[in-house]
Structure formats: C-alpha cells, structure tokens
C-alpha cells in the first residue's frame, strides 16, 4: 500500500467536462467523507470544466451551499501518468515537459458523470496506467452511455425495451432536414415520442413530442448535443429504478430493493428541471411493489448489468406498465454506470433500504476494485 502507515491511497477524481460537473463534485464530497480514515488516504483530484486536472484542497467545500453549486477551480496542476511504471500522479511544473512524481496511488475512484467520465474515456486512460479503478471498464461504460448500443445489447440478452428509431447525421442528413422520420415509422411509434441525444444524461437535449409539428425542432435540439439521435415510442408506466452492486468476493451482481419516482400531477416526464430544480417528484424507497414485481425488477437489473458487462455498480432504470390482460410489462429504459452518488441519491438510498449503508457501499466498491480479477 502506498498511503501513510499502510493505508490504501485512493485518488477520488471528480468534476469533469460534462454538464454534470457540479453533481459529480457533490458525489465526490460524499465519497471522500465516507472513506474510513483509518484505512484509506484520500487524494482529491478535480477536473475543471475546461478539462484541466488539479490537486484539490481536501477541505474544499463540495456540497451545495445556499443554492451555490460547487465547482473545481484552481489548485496544483497534476497529470495522470499513462506509463504504468508511473502508477499515479505527477505535478506539472510550468515549462517542464515531464513533471516530478507527486504520489503513487493504489486505486482510483472516478466519481464522474456523463461525457469524459461515464463513457469509457477516463476508463481507457486508467487502463493505460495500469491502476485499478472503481466501476465499469471501457466497453461497459461506453455501451451504457450510448442509448442505441444499450438497447442492442439488452435485446441480444432477451431483455425488454421500447420501440425506437435511430437517426444519424450521415452526410449531414439531420442538419439538412431535421424532419427525417418517414410516415411508416411515425405510424409505428405513435405519439408522444421522446427525442433524445444518443449519448447524454440529466435529460439534457430530450424533448417529449406530442405533435409531429414539434418534431424537427426536437431533432435539432437533440442533434446539437449528439450527432446521433434516438426517437423512442413513449412507454406508459411507473418509473422504477434498481441499484446493482458487485458482491464482495465473487463480484457477482446483487440488486437492491427497487424505488419508484412519482412525478407530481401536471409533470409529464422527468426532465432536467424536475430532476434538479423543481420539487416535482416524490420517491418511494422502497417502491410499493408486490414481492413478485420486486423480484422481476431485481432479476432484470442483474441481467442488464451482466448483458452490458458492467463492473462494481450500476443503476438500472425501468418503466413498469400494464398489458391488455392486466399483466405487468417491464421495460428497461437505461443503465447508468456511475449514478448520482450522494447519500441522498437514489442509488445510495435504495441500498440503505436494503441494509447497505453509505460507508459500506463505498468500501465495497473500493475493495472490489482492488481485488484481483
Ligand atoms: N420512451 C419513454 N417513454 C416514457 N417516458 C420516457 C421515455 N424516455 C424517457 N422518458 C422520460 O424522460 C426521462 C429522461 O429520459 P432518459 O432516457 O432516462 O434520459 P437521461 O439519460 O438523460 O436520464 C425519463 O426519466 C422519463 O421520465
Ligand atoms: Mg434517466
């Protein structure tokens, strides 16, 4: 172990270039506070919104205070050494091509959401360094970030999902005419449809289209976020989430008790404002489900985790509707490989309701990353 007095040295990486920068800071603050100081030495590494890496001040305020969102600002510039001999971080001195070695770390916890964090990019960098890290690897992260490939892999595993069409901006097709869906597809999908950037999060760039006249503007908005756009039939039903965590020792996925997001009357869908700003949703943790429904959600969550080759943790989001004969229709919406990670986030609260508290959650993830694979 490289830390003081035999402690495990954990680099917690947070902030980042995505729209979820502030949420990542809050998540990281919680993770760092939960790492047992008797066993772990924390090295806080912030990634500023412009992509600069800095050694953050351990005392930095990372909570939301008086409505002000935390942000990675200044600090000593550091860099992750890609050469596995480096095993860690180097300080970048101005004018020097290669910085002096700062510290060797044992394990990295990338508490990053969205692009450059949850999409396989930092995971690729960490693979190059040879450092173990918490969470899914390159492939699972990239596949789960991409709503098209998530659906393809879930379909291959026989897991249920909603009808959809993928639009690509090949040869500028979308930019030239965002009204790109043919009549057959319109008839098949019906209204409303959800128009989404294929790789985004926090509901950014998503429009719920209730009239085809709104469709071109919705496609243009999604295409401004990602060149690939996905058009989904609306799936009626309750919004249910389930946490998945690798078991100690075996690494096999275990599922938490599911939770339900109940939107208040008049709120049609879980958009950005409903997620972070308005008091638009209520959470039932655990969800009010029959034992059979709970078991079905948990089994599907574990299968989705395996289908996407996830590691460590995931949050699997569902719609639970009712079929023509009154039977349950369970549909997977998406898989998040680094869900919001504060003690009040759904993931942590679902595990708390299942008997795994926040410190145990963090400890399981870090020790799981260090376990030989
Ligand atoms: N096909 C769909 N049918 C019904 N509601 C949907 C559908 N897709 C998305 N939604 C609503 O939009 C929200 C955000 O969509 P989601 O695909 O989860 O995006 P993000 O990755 O940004 O969280 C969901 O939580 C849900 O309320
Ligand atoms: Mg979602």
């Amino acid at each position: 172990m490289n830390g003081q007095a035999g402690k495990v040295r954990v680099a917690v990486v947070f902030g980042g270039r995505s729209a979820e920068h502030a949420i990542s800071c809050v998540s990281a603050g919680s993770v760092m506070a939960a790492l047992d100081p008797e066993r772990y030495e924390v090295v806080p590494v912030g990634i500023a919104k412009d992509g600069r890496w800095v050694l953050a001040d351990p005392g930095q305020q990372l909570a939301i205070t008086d409505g002000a969102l935390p942000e990675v600002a200044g600090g000593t510039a550091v860099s992750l050494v890609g050469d596995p001999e480096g095993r860690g971080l180097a300080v970048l001195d101005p004018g020097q091509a290669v910085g002096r070695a700062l510290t060797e770390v044992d394990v990295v916890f990338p508490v990053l959401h969205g692009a450059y964090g949850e999409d396989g990019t930092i995971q690729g960098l960490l693979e190059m360094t040879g450092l173990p890290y918490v969470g899914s690897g390159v492939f699972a992260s990239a596949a789960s970030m991409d709503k098209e490939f998530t659906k393809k892999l879930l379909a291959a595993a026989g897991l249920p999902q909603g009808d959809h069409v993928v639009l690509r901006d090949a040869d500028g097709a979308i930019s030239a005419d965002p009204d790109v869906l043919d009549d057959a597809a319109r008839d098949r999908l019906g209204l409303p449809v959800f128009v989404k950037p294929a790789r985004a999060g926090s509901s950014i760039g998503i429009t719920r289209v209730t009239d085809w006249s709104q469709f071109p503007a919705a496609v243009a908005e999604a295409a401004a976020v990602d060149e690939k756009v996905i058009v989904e039939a609306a799936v009626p039903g309750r919004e249910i989430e389930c946490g998945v965590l690798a078991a100690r020792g075996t690494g096999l996925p275990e599922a938490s008790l599911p939770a339900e997001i109940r939107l208040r009357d008049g709120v049609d869908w879980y958009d950005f404002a409903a997620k972070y700003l308005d008091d638009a949703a209520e959470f039932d943790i655990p969800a009010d489900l029959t034992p059979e429904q709970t078991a079905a959600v948990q089994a599907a969550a574990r299968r989705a985790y395996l289908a996407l080759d996830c590691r460590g943790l995931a949050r699997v989001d569902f719609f639970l509707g009712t079929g023509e004969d009154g039977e349950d229709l369970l549909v997977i919406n998406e898989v998040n490989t680094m869900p919001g990670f504060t003690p009040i986030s759904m993931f942590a609260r679902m595990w708390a309701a299942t008997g795994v508290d926040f410190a145990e959650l963090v400890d399981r993830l870090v020790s799981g990353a260090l376990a030989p694979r």
Side-chain angles (χ1 to χ4, degrees):
M1 302 292 103
N2 289 304
Q4 312 145 343
K7 291 181 191 173
V8 174
R9 196 178 275 149
V10 188
V12 176
V13 183
F14 60 93
R17 290 159 70 178
S18 84
E20 288 147 301
H21 181 98
I23 309 301
S24 162
C25 292
V26 178
S27 295
S30 314
V31 167
M32 292 192 274
L35 281 165
D36 178 4
E38 297 286 311
R39 295 165 48 218
Y40 297 112
E41 184 190 333
V42 173
V43 182
V45 179
I47 302 181
K49 287 181 173 169
D50 61 4
R52 283 174 308 113
W53 288 47
V54 297
L55 198 62
D57 174 0
Q60 193 194 337
Q61 181 56 260
L62 288 172
I64 299 177
T65 29
D66 299 329
L69 295 175
E71 183 179 334
V72 173
T76 310
V78 289
S79 175
L80 198 62
V81 180
D83 180 338
E85 288 297 305
R87 287 197 76 76
L89 296 160
V91 172
L92 295 181
D93 289 326
Q96 265 187 268
V98 179
R100 72 194 141 85
L102 171 75
T103 185
E104 293 191 1
V105 299
D106 296 304
V107 57
V108 178
F109 195 152
V111 195
L112 295 161
H113 309 302
Y116 304 108
E118 210 179 336
D119 60 354
T121 51
I122 192 170
Q123 288 77 13
L125 189 59
L126 292 168
E127 290 290 342
M128 301 282 295
T129 69
L131 285 168
Y133 56 94
V134 170
S136 285
V138 174
F139 177 79
S141 301
S144 302
M145 187 75 198
D146 185 313
K147 294 186 196 298
E148 175 189 15
F149 285 96
T150 300
K151 288 181 196 300
K152 285 202 158 108
L153 291 166
L154 295 179
L159 287 160
Q161 58 202 282
D163 198 1
H164 61 277
V165 171
V166 176
L167 306 176
R168 287 169 216 284
D169 197 18
D171 303 324
I174 294 182
S175 352
D177 178 14
D179 205 5
V180 277
L181 203 60
D182 61 38
D183 287 342
R186 286 179 198 224
D187 287 346
R188 200 184 85 211
L189 296 175
L191 284 171
V193 287
F194 284 81
V195 179
K196 309 177 177 181
R199 292 154 292 202
S202 288
S203 298
I204 291 159
I206 301 183
T207 309
R208 178 176 180 266
V209 167
T210 54
D211 185 297
W212 289 115
S213 66
Q214 303 157 348
F215 184 74
V219 172
E221 194 176 326
V225 179
D226 190 344
E227 62 199 350
K228 187 165 70 176
V229 172
I230 187 156
V231 185
E232 297 183 7
V235 181
R238 300 160 68 184
E239 281 203 64
I240 304 288
E241 301 191 344
C242 186
V244 180
L245 190 61
R248 274 196 204 277
T250 64
L252 290 173
E254 290 179 349
S256 71
L257 287 171
E260 177 167 9
I261 296 162
R262 280 189 296 114
L263 300 175
R264 287 193 213 285
D265 283 348
V267 181
D268 289 322
W269 63 287
Y270 206 27
D271 63 3
F272 185 85
K275 281 179 178 174
Y276 298 117
L277 309 174
D278 297 338
D279 198 12
E282 284 181 75
F283 308 103
D284 291 340
I285 307 165
D288 183 12
L289 298 173
T290 65
E292 294 74 25
Q293 288 172 325
T294 296
V297 168
Q298 290 177 322
R302 285 193 302 267
R303 285 177 60 202
Y305 174 101
L306 292 171
L308 287 159
D309 226 358
C310 294
R311 196 169 63 212
L313 75 165
R315 196 191 72 218
V316 184
D317 298 350
F318 297 87
F319 301 112
L320 178 60
T322 309
E324 281 176 5
D325 299 321
E327 77 281 15
D328 284 338
L329 291 181
L330 188 62
V331 168
I332 298 180
N333 176 32
E334 60 162 344
V335 176
N336 297 284
T337 51
M338 190 51 74
F341 207 93
T342 71
I344 60 160
S345 299
M346 292 296 265
F347 184 78
R349 289 168 68 190
M350 290 189 286
W351 278 107
T354 314
V356 179
D357 71 20
F358 195 73
E360 162 75 10
L361 204 59
V362 171
D363 183 62
R364 256 168 85 162
L365 289 169
V366 174
S367 42
L370 282 164
R373 346 173 191 120

